[in-house]
Amino acid sequence: AQSVTQLGSHVSVSEGALVLLRCNYSSSVPPYLFWYVQYPNQGLQLLLKYTTGATLVKGINGFEAEFKKSETSFHLTKPSAHMSDAAEYFCAVSALRAAGNKLTFGGGTRVLVKP
Amino acid sequence: DAGVTQSPTHLIKTRGQQVTLRCSPKSGHDTVSWYQQALGQGPQFIFQYYEEEERQRGNFPDRFSGHQFPNYSSELNVNALLLGDSALYLCASSLNRVNIQYFGAGTRLSVL
């Protein structure tokens, strides 16, 4: 079984400040890890993914995340927040199996960016 | 290149009714997954279709059923609607053996 815990349901940052969103996962098999962003009244947009290889992955809009197996973490960061980063962010875990590759999501972190 | 498209965008039903939601996958994709996102929560996996068969299912009752057509499009059917079925229903598509899912904008279902 797989699970995801996102620490902090709400995060408030000032424009230009560091954005740090925390994600810890549990998986009995090597995980595939994802961050998705959801803007109001919209679906999910893939920000970045970790499958295999390099543990520091870069995504769209200046976001990056680091896979740390020893800490079972996949935290998302952005050096400088922009007003357009205000949205809800979801961390998800999956495994590529012949029986399917369902995504298991965390509860989400809503980001508020203050001017 | 069209992405994942879902219809309708909004739907209002009453308790006990039945509903059908539709999804067209991204061009070239052959696998469709459905998720339910209740207000203020993360999406929950309902089921996944590949080669017109349900190959993986989440913890949802039999009232939730689906279908995949030869052109890879899919339907989600919910019978005997309950108030608790009110949610955003998201469809995601992927290519078999490539573990990246792309989501549509969703169908918002309100059950009164």
Side-chain angles (χ1 to χ4, degrees):
Chain A
Q2 298 179 310
S3 66
V4 174
T5 301
Q6 292 183 240
L7 296 178
S9 59
H10 292 80
V11 167
S12 181
V13 299
S14 297
E15 191 173 20
L18 171 72
V19 179
L20 170 60
L21 305 183
R22 300 181 186 275
C23 171
N24 288 89
Y25 70 91
S26 172
S27 179
S28 57
V29 298
Y32 288 64
L33 294 159
F34 306 85
W35 277 98
Y36 285 87
V37 61
Q38 186 175 37
Y39 297 100
N41 300 312
Q42 294 188 25
L44 301 177
Q45 181 182 7
L46 180 66
L47 270 180
L48 49 77
K49 62 187 183 295
Y50 169 79
T51 54
T52 58
T55 57
L56 181 63
V57 293
K58 296 186 184 298
I60 62 172
N61 302 338
F63 284 94
E64 63 181 36
E66 186 171 11
F67 170 60
K68 292 187 176 181
K69 183 178 179 180
S70 61
E71 298 177 8
T72 61
S73 69
F74 191 56
H75 302 330
L76 180 71
T77 60
K78 181 174 180 177
S80 177
H82 190 271
M83 296 299 291
S84 61
D85 295 326
E88 187 147 24
Y89 294 79
F90 293 96
C91 181
V93 64
S94 176
L96 185 58
R97 299 186 171 114
N101 61 341
K102 71 172 187 177
L103 286 165
T104 300
F105 287 88
T109 298
R110 186 170 297 278
V111 173
L112 171 67
V113 182
K114 299 177 293 185
Chain B
D1 177 26
V4 180
T5 58
Q6 294 186 241
S7 63
T9 55
H10 293 84
L11 206 49
I12 299 175
K13 292 286 188 179
T14 57
R15 282 178 298 174
Q17 285 190 311
Q18 178 264 343
V19 68
T20 297
L21 311 181
R22 296 177 176 82
C23 172
S24 293
K26 185 176 169 67
S27 179
H29 286 183
D30 56 11
T31 303
V32 173
S33 304
W34 287 92
Y35 295 82
Q36 179 195 66
Q37 185 179 18
L39 199 61
Q41 298 183 23
Q44 298 288 318
F45 176 74
I46 303 175
F47 42 53
Q48 183 176 89
Y49 277 84
Y50 172 67
E51 292 189 334
E52 303 180 49
E53 298 279 341
E54 181 187 291
R55 73 172 174 182
Q56 197 174 22
R57 189 178 182 92
N59 189 25
F60 280 80
D62 292 344
R63 298 187 298 109
F64 290 77
S65 63
H67 189 77
Q68 185 180 33
F69 299 93
N71 67 353
Y72 307 118
S73 67
S74 177
E75 289 182 349
L76 164 65
N77 301 291
V78 187
N79 295 321
L81 284 167
L82 303 174
L83 295 179
D85 295 332
S86 295
L88 179 67
Y89 288 84
L90 295 164
C91 171
S93 74
S94 57
L95 187 60
N96 188 41
R97 306 193 70 75
V98 177
N99 199 7
I100 302 171
Q101 296 186 27
Y102 295 89
F103 284 79
T107 293
R108 185 162 298 282
L109 172 65
S110 298
V111 182
L112 306 179

